[in-house]
Amino acid sequence: MPMRHAPIGAAMLLSLGGCSWSTTTHDDAIPCDAPVQVTVVPGSPQRISWAPACGFKDLTIVDAAPSPSTPPAQWQISANSRLIVPGIEYGVVPRGVTGVYPPAPLASGRTYQLELTPIRAGAPPTRVTWTP
């Protein structure tokens, strides 16, 4: 009786995929066309991810309750030669992406809004708020 290796190989691939922050790279990212589930993981630095693992044109973080002294953005990055994919560390501009606004410190207890802008013109952005 022949040995069956396919299920073991598949299980290993799944477990390896679970160990990395994101299995999508900038080079193989597809544009996001549908809503995504965004996760902001607290810590220093905070990590931003979304599922499904697809790419966006822009990522912008603003203060949800701005004042006259609040900068226009807490941080903004824009796709240049590569799409923005999940697994972003706050303040770290990924390779192939352009920094538009430098990162401002995030204050504990303040609420921020993250906006992901799709590549496709007219597609609605994904917005989520969180409080570090």
Side-chain angles (χ1 to χ4, degrees), residues 21 37-51 59-61 75 87-90 106 110 112-116 127-132:
W21 183 254
Q37 180 68 40
V38 177
T39 304
V40 179
V41 179
S44 183
Q46 298 201 6
R47 294 188 65 108
I48 304 161
S49 193
W50 54 89
L59 180 149
T60 306
I61 297 174
W75 186 46
I88 303 289
E89 288 187 8
Y90 180 80
L106 298 177
R110 287 196 68 84
Y112 297 95
Q113 178 176 287
L114 177 136
E115 180 174 293
L116 295 166
R127 290 186 181 105
V128 64
T129 58
W130 91 99
T131 304

Side-chain angles (χ1 to χ4, degrees), residues 58-61 72-78 93 98-103 117:
D58 295 304
L59 180 149
T60 306
I61 297 174
Q74 292 298 116
W75 186 46
Q76 183 177 13
I77 57 177
S78 185
V93 178
T98 301
V100 179
Y101 284 103
T117 306

Side-chain angles (χ1 to χ4, degrees), residues 25-45:
T25 66
H26 295 279
D27 295 326
D28 65 3
I30 59 168
C32 293
D33 285 335
V36 297
Q37 180 68 40
V38 177
T39 304
V40 179
V41 179
S44 183

